[in-house]
Amino acid sequence: RNLLDMDTFSKSDPVVVLFVQGSGSSEWKEFGRTEVIDNTLNPDFLRKFVLDYYFEEKQNLRFDVSPPGTHGAVLGVQDFLGQAFVALGEVIGSQRGRLERPLTGVPGKRCGTILLLAEELSNCRDIVTMQLCANKLDKKDFFGKSDPFLVFYRSNEDGTFTICHKTEVVKNTLNPVWQPFTIPVRALCNGDYDRTVKIDVYDWDRDGSHDFIGEFATSYRELSRAQSQFTVYEVLNPRKKCKKKKYVNSGTVTLLSFSVESEFTFVDYIRGGTQLNFTVAIDFTASNGLPSQPTSLHYASPYQLSAYALALKAVGEVIQDYDSDKLFPAYGFGAKVPPDGKISHQFPLNNNVNNPSCAGIEGVLESYLQSLRTVQLYGPTNFAPVINQVAGTAAQVTDGSQYHVLLIITDGVISDMLQTKEAIVTASALPMSIIIVGVGPAEFEAMEELDGDEVRVSSRGRYAERDIVQFVPFRDYVDDSGNQVLSMARLAKDVLAEIPEQLLSYMKTHDIKPRRADP
């Protein structure tokens, strides 16, 4: 909108070139360019860029606006109209996936704005639940009736068939009723509603040589009509049909019910207005070492950030794109706090008990460094108070509009394991996730226990409703060559990868659908 006018006798002929940055790299590579639109300062480009989106990565984009260069191959520097830098997460995290940014880069001139729109490509996310029964199937067993089951096949582009579902076996009956089952539409027909779906009916045999009873064909579109009526299919055995003149069929299969549900994605909720609220808790126990000493895990040299600051920046810089107010509560634990030197396990880093929020990740870093100068590192290492603090906030809004992510950065062995487990079990029913980053050389076995990937966390006989904890040791992500940008990108990628699934599991468990984004 309102681009610079560089042409003498007409308006500019702009083109937009998109550049992308690799993860942990500072190099820009051209990804693609729009069409050229002649003689306008307010172009609406038709060309879309299709990008793979990863929540857990900081995906930096650069948009250069210029008239086309020589033969449209090189952009003319002399006619440069401006550029904008943005992270893909910022576009997706903005209201309705729509972001307007000022163009900059031409000294002393207003370059206008660029309007970016992001939408998720629908990849047929529907899930079907159906139930079938059969009537008067052929008898295949010598001593009893048949033991029937169904096998579903999806047809491929080349005319072959791929198995996509098997029902359970119903024993000793010619009139089986199979249990309802669910299957993604993708698996059933690859999103093509008119593609053939073949269904074979077999009689189960213990030795695996199942007897073929018959088959029938249908399509997703035909199956979906069962939402309003029963659909009856004749089961035919081609060999019998050829041999016997009076052959009618080998029984019938009836589709009793068929329903479709959409499976929502993380982007659906973000576009519907769900905000991610980021809270930080930093370990100020004495085992970290004196912050003024180079051996301390809190030591920040003039040339490089401490492990704590790196972990905070790595995670925070990705999450902040999904938080509209960019205000982040930040706490410390395990220190003696002025003025009276009492041990605290949830003191605000900005020293403001009534409002512990800091402005942006830079504000959190500033408050963290300030606290290092004013508190006395002490102990023990207690997680429960800060988990309960965030859980209390999360419990206030449970309608899916807010989701909380707590980042705990610690150097060591946890002192209040029982209380922490209890806090996690309670928090697992709330809209929140917990990321724990271990810094330093300590052994972190206890943390692995809290990361419920293998065994769900439990406390006093109660199990966590869902897995909400992700633990990683920072040392596993440190780049050997000392490239801090790469270390941060690797860390963020791993610790944030589970957040979208954890958010979806909360929404699904509580039957919360995304709000419709305004058109």
mmCIF file of all heavy atoms in Angstrom, residues 383 387 406-410 414 420 424 434-438 444 447 450-451 469-474 491 495:
data_model
loop_
_atom_site.group_PDB
_atom_site.id
_atom_site.type_symbol
_atom_site.label_atom_id
_atom_site.label_comp_id
_atom_site.label_asym_id
_atom_site.label_seq_id
_atom_site.Cartn_x
_atom_site.Cartn_y
_atom_site.Cartn_z
ATOM 1 N N PHE A 383 10.282 -26.510 42.757
ATOM 2 C CA PHE A 383 9.512 -26.146 41.547
ATOM 3 C C PHE A 383 8.035 -25.884 41.847
ATOM 4 O O PHE A 383 7.381 -25.116 41.152
ATOM 5 C CB PHE A 383 9.559 -27.278 40.513
ATOM 6 C CG PHE A 383 10.873 -27.446 39.809
ATOM 7 C CD1 PHE A 383 11.955 -26.633 40.089
ATOM 8 C CD2 PHE A 383 11.021 -28.425 38.831
ATOM 9 C CE1 PHE A 383 13.167 -26.794 39.428
ATOM 10 C CE2 PHE A 383 12.221 -28.594 38.162
ATOM 11 C CZ PHE A 383 13.299 -27.786 38.462
ATOM 12 N N ILE A 387 5.008 -23.549 39.784
ATOM 13 C CA ILE A 387 4.023 -24.300 38.965
ATOM 14 C C ILE A 387 2.616 -23.982 39.454
ATOM 15 O O ILE A 387 1.705 -23.725 38.655
ATOM 16 C CB ILE A 387 4.307 -25.829 39.020
ATOM 17 C CG1 ILE A 387 5.645 -26.157 38.345
ATOM 18 C CG2 ILE A 387 3.166 -26.611 38.356
ATOM 19 C CD1 ILE A 387 6.084 -27.605 38.465
ATOM 20 N N LEU A 406 4.987 -22.468 30.770
ATOM 21 C CA LEU A 406 5.933 -22.115 31.838
ATOM 22 C C LEU A 406 7.297 -22.697 31.490
ATOM 23 O O LEU A 406 7.430 -23.907 31.285
ATOM 24 C CB LEU A 406 5.448 -22.678 33.179
ATOM 25 C CG LEU A 406 6.450 -22.663 34.342
ATOM 26 C CD1 LEU A 406 6.882 -21.242 34.702
ATOM 27 C CD2 LEU A 406 5.877 -23.367 35.578
ATOM 28 N N LEU A 407 8.302 -21.841 31.405
ATOM 29 C CA LEU A 407 9.679 -22.282 31.171
ATOM 30 C C LEU A 407 10.443 -22.225 32.488
ATOM 31 O O LEU A 407 10.566 -21.160 33.097
ATOM 32 C CB LEU A 407 10.363 -21.379 30.137
ATOM 33 C CG LEU A 407 11.877 -21.568 29.968
ATOM 34 C CD1 LEU A 407 12.205 -22.942 29.400
ATOM 35 C CD2 LEU A 407 12.484 -20.479 29.074
ATOM 36 N N ILE A 408 10.927 -23.386 32.961
ATOM 37 C CA ILE A 408 11.758 -23.444 34.175
ATOM 38 C C ILE A 408 13.187 -23.765 33.728
ATOM 39 O O ILE A 408 13.415 -24.762 33.040
ATOM 40 C CB ILE A 408 11.255 -24.537 35.147
ATOM 41 C CG1 ILE A 408 9.814 -24.243 35.593
ATOM 42 C CG2 ILE A 408 12.180 -24.653 36.348
ATOM 43 C CD1 ILE A 408 9.191 -25.353 36.442
ATOM 44 N N ILE A 409 14.132 -22.899 34.112
ATOM 45 C CA ILE A 409 15.544 -23.161 33.779
ATOM 46 C C ILE A 409 16.266 -23.425 35.096
ATOM 47 O O ILE A 409 16.208 -22.614 36.026
ATOM 48 C CB ILE A 409 16.181 -21.969 33.039
ATOM 49 C CG1 ILE A 409 15.261 -21.465 31.918
ATOM 50 C CG2 ILE A 409 17.524 -22.379 32.444
ATOM 51 C CD1 ILE A 409 15.767 -20.207 31.222
ATOM 52 N N THR A 410 16.928 -24.577 35.178
ATOM 53 C CA THR A 410 17.493 -25.022 36.465
ATOM 54 C C THR A 410 18.828 -25.719 36.253
ATOM 55 O O THR A 410 19.103 -26.210 35.159
ATOM 56 C CB THR A 410 16.509 -25.976 37.171
ATOM 57 O OG1 THR A 410 17.039 -26.363 38.432
ATOM 58 C CG2 THR A 410 16.245 -27.224 36.340
ATOM 59 N N ILE A 414 16.174 -31.597 41.990
ATOM 60 C CA ILE A 414 14.968 -30.997 42.542
ATOM 61 C C ILE A 414 14.790 -31.438 43.997
ATOM 62 O O ILE A 414 15.030 -32.597 44.336
ATOM 63 C CB ILE A 414 13.769 -31.409 41.661
ATOM 64 C CG1 ILE A 414 12.489 -30.781 42.138
ATOM 65 C CG2 ILE A 414 13.617 -32.884 41.532
ATOM 66 C CD1 ILE A 414 11.357 -30.949 41.140
ATOM 67 N N THR A 420 6.080 -31.330 43.618
ATOM 68 C CA THR A 420 6.108 -30.979 42.193
ATOM 69 C C THR A 420 5.232 -31.926 41.385
ATOM 70 O O THR A 420 4.477 -31.509 40.505
ATOM 71 C CB THR A 420 7.562 -30.978 41.663
ATOM 72 O OG1 THR A 420 8.281 -29.943 42.332
ATOM 73 C CG2 THR A 420 7.613 -30.750 40.170
ATOM 74 N N ILE A 424 2.055 -30.938 39.114
ATOM 75 C CA ILE A 424 1.955 -31.285 37.685
ATOM 76 C C ILE A 424 0.644 -32.021 37.402
ATOM 77 O O ILE A 424 -0.027 -31.746 36.400
ATOM 78 C CB ILE A 424 3.182 -32.123 37.237
ATOM 79 C CG1 ILE A 424 4.424 -31.230 37.197
ATOM 80 C CG2 ILE A 424 2.948 -32.784 35.881
ATOM 81 C CD1 ILE A 424 5.733 -31.972 37.008
ATOM 82 N N ILE A 434 4.571 -27.236 30.575
ATOM 83 C CA ILE A 434 5.781 -26.885 31.338
ATOM 84 C C ILE A 434 7.005 -27.356 30.557
ATOM 85 O O ILE A 434 7.076 -28.522 30.152
ATOM 86 C CB ILE A 434 5.767 -27.534 32.737
ATOM 87 C CG1 ILE A 434 4.525 -27.082 33.527
ATOM 88 C CG2 ILE A 434 7.045 -27.205 33.509
ATOM 89 C CD1 ILE A 434 4.245 -27.921 34.764
ATOM 90 N N ILE A 435 7.948 -26.439 30.337
ATOM 91 C CA ILE A 435 9.217 -26.788 29.698
ATOM 92 C C ILE A 435 10.304 -26.639 30.760
ATOM 93 O O ILE A 435 10.386 -25.607 31.428
ATOM 94 C CB ILE A 435 9.530 -25.841 28.530
ATOM 95 C CG1 ILE A 435 8.500 -26.004 27.406
ATOM 96 C CG2 ILE A 435 10.934 -26.070 28.001
ATOM 97 C CD1 ILE A 435 8.564 -24.895 26.369
ATOM 98 N N ILE A 436 11.102 -27.687 30.944
ATOM 99 C CA ILE A 436 12.225 -27.599 31.897
ATOM 100 C C ILE A 436 13.518 -27.752 31.106
ATOM 101 O O ILE A 436 13.706 -28.738 30.391
ATOM 102 C CB ILE A 436 12.138 -28.699 32.979
ATOM 103 C CG1 ILE A 436 10.781 -28.644 33.713
ATOM 104 C CG2 ILE A 436 13.287 -28.560 33.978
ATOM 105 C CD1 ILE A 436 10.532 -29.811 34.653
ATOM 106 N N VAL A 437 14.392 -26.748 31.214
ATOM 107 C CA VAL A 437 15.707 -26.828 30.565
ATOM 108 C C VAL A 437 16.747 -26.961 31.669
ATOM 109 O O VAL A 437 16.836 -26.114 32.566
ATOM 110 C CB VAL A 437 15.995 -25.576 29.710
ATOM 111 C CG1 VAL A 437 17.401 -25.650 29.115
ATOM 112 C CG2 VAL A 437 14.970 -25.440 28.590
ATOM 113 N N GLY A 438 17.523 -28.033 31.618
ATOM 114 C CA GLY A 438 18.592 -28.247 32.599
ATOM 115 C C GLY A 438 19.899 -27.679 32.059
ATOM 116 O O GLY A 438 20.307 -28.026 30.953
ATOM 117 N N PHE A 444 20.455 -35.433 35.494
ATOM 118 C CA PHE A 444 19.074 -34.943 35.564
ATOM 119 C C PHE A 444 18.033 -36.072 35.543
ATOM 120 O O PHE A 444 16.952 -35.904 34.992
ATOM 121 C CB PHE A 444 18.806 -34.002 34.386
ATOM 122 C CG PHE A 444 19.573 -32.706 34.442
ATOM 123 C CD1 PHE A 444 20.596 -32.447 33.533
ATOM 124 C CD2 PHE A 444 19.268 -31.732 35.384
ATOM 125 C CE1 PHE A 444 21.289 -31.248 33.560
ATOM 126 C CE2 PHE A 444 19.963 -30.524 35.426
ATOM 127 C CZ PHE A 444 20.973 -30.287 34.511
ATOM 128 N N MET A 447 14.459 -35.276 36.485
ATOM 129 C CA MET A 447 13.699 -34.504 35.497
ATOM 130 C C MET A 447 13.056 -35.418 34.464
ATOM 131 O O MET A 447 11.944 -35.187 34.007
ATOM 132 C CB MET A 447 14.596 -33.503 34.771
ATOM 133 C CG MET A 447 15.323 -32.561 35.669
ATOM 134 S SD MET A 447 14.222 -31.605 36.715
ATOM 135 C CE MET A 447 15.447 -30.796 37.706
ATOM 136 N N LEU A 450 9.772 -36.534 35.435
ATOM 137 C CA LEU A 450 8.688 -35.554 35.301
ATOM 138 C C LEU A 450 8.211 -35.442 33.855
ATOM 139 O O LEU A 450 7.067 -35.078 33.592
ATOM 140 C CB LEU A 450 9.156 -34.177 35.787
ATOM 141 C CG LEU A 450 9.563 -34.065 37.254
ATOM 142 C CD1 LEU A 450 10.047 -32.651 37.557
ATOM 143 C CD2 LEU A 450 8.398 -34.433 38.178
ATOM 144 N N ASP A 451 9.107 -35.743 32.905
ATOM 145 C CA ASP A 451 8.750 -35.723 31.479
ATOM 146 C C ASP A 451 8.023 -37.030 31.185
ATOM 147 O O ASP A 451 8.630 -38.061 30.965
ATOM 148 C CB ASP A 451 10.042 -35.616 30.650
ATOM 149 C CG ASP A 451 9.756 -35.421 29.164
ATOM 150 O OD1 ASP A 451 8.675 -35.815 28.709
ATOM 151 O OD2 ASP A 451 10.622 -34.883 28.468
ATOM 152 N N VAL A 469 4.742 -32.003 30.428
ATOM 153 C CA VAL A 469 6.118 -31.604 30.760
ATOM 154 C C VAL A 469 7.079 -32.079 29.672
ATOM 155 O O VAL A 469 7.011 -33.220 29.225
ATOM 156 C CB VAL A 469 6.563 -32.179 32.123
ATOM 157 C CG1 VAL A 469 7.998 -31.762 32.439
ATOM 158 C CG2 VAL A 469 5.630 -31.715 33.230
ATOM 159 N N GLN A 470 7.965 -31.172 29.267
ATOM 160 C CA GLN A 470 9.033 -31.521 28.338
ATOM 161 C C GLN A 470 10.343 -31.108 28.977
ATOM 162 O O GLN A 470 10.523 -29.947 29.338
ATOM 163 C CB GLN A 470 8.797 -30.789 27.020
ATOM 164 C CG GLN A 470 9.933 -30.837 26.023
ATOM 165 C CD GLN A 470 10.057 -32.170 25.298
ATOM 166 O OE1 GLN A 470 9.588 -33.181 25.795
ATOM 167 N NE2 GLN A 470 10.703 -32.188 24.172
ATOM 168 N N PHE A 471 11.265 -32.077 29.184
ATOM 169 C CA PHE A 471 12.572 -31.765 29.782
ATOM 170 C C PHE A 471 13.692 -32.005 28.774
ATOM 171 O O PHE A 471 13.688 -33.018 28.068
ATOM 172 C CB PHE A 471 12.838 -32.622 31.022
ATOM 173 C CG PHE A 471 14.290 -32.553 31.436
ATOM 174 C CD1 PHE A 471 14.783 -31.417 32.061
ATOM 175 C CD2 PHE A 471 15.167 -33.579 31.127
ATOM 176 C CE1 PHE A 471 16.123 -31.315 32.393
ATOM 177 C CE2 PHE A 471 16.517 -33.490 31.454
ATOM 178 C CZ PHE A 471 16.990 -32.354 32.096
ATOM 179 N N VAL A 472 14.651 -31.079 28.715
ATOM 180 C CA VAL A 472 15.862 -31.308 27.912
ATOM 181 C C VAL A 472 17.078 -30.734 28.641
ATOM 182 O O VAL A 472 16.982 -29.688 29.271
ATOM 183 C CB VAL A 472 15.793 -30.679 26.499
ATOM 184 C CG1 VAL A 472 14.709 -31.294 25.658
ATOM 185 C CG2 VAL A 472 15.650 -29.184 26.558
ATOM 186 N N PRO A 473 18.224 -31.425 28.576
ATOM 187 C CA PRO A 473 19.470 -30.830 29.083
ATOM 188 C C PRO A 473 20.076 -29.935 28.005
ATOM 189 O O PRO A 473 20.223 -30.360 26.863
ATOM 190 C CB PRO A 473 20.366 -32.049 29.361
ATOM 191 C CG PRO A 473 19.750 -33.194 28.646
ATOM 192 C CD PRO A 473 18.405 -32.806 28.129
ATOM 193 N N PHE A 474 20.404 -28.712 28.356
ATOM 194 C CA PHE A 474 20.895 -27.732 27.383
ATOM 195 C C PHE A 474 22.186 -28.205 26.718
ATOM 196 O O PHE A 474 22.434 -27.912 25.539
ATOM 197 C CB PHE A 474 21.100 -26.375 28.080
ATOM 198 C CG PHE A 474 21.462 -25.261 27.143
ATOM 199 C CD1 PHE A 474 20.617 -24.916 26.101
ATOM 200 C CD2 PHE A 474 22.646 -24.543 27.292
ATOM 201 C CE1 PHE A 474 20.939 -23.888 25.227
ATOM 202 C CE2 PHE A 474 22.973 -23.512 26.421
ATOM 203 C CZ PHE A 474 22.120 -23.190 25.386
ATOM 204 N N LEU A 491 17.852 -25.918 20.410
ATOM 205 C CA LEU A 491 17.136 -26.065 21.688
ATOM 206 C C LEU A 491 15.649 -25.766 21.501
ATOM 207 O O LEU A 491 14.793 -26.553 21.902
ATOM 208 C CB LEU A 491 17.732 -25.117 22.731
ATOM 209 C CG LEU A 491 16.989 -25.102 24.076
ATOM 210 C CD1 LEU A 491 17.276 -26.387 24.849
ATOM 211 C CD2 LEU A 491 17.395 -23.908 24.928
ATOM 212 N N VAL A 495 12.471 -28.315 22.417
ATOM 213 C CA VAL A 495 11.607 -28.119 23.593
ATOM 214 C C VAL A 495 10.213 -27.638 23.203
ATOM 215 O O VAL A 495 9.253 -27.859 23.934
ATOM 216 C CB VAL A 495 12.191 -27.146 24.648
ATOM 217 C CG1 VAL A 495 13.442 -27.695 25.254
ATOM 218 C CG2 VAL A 495 12.396 -25.763 24.107
#
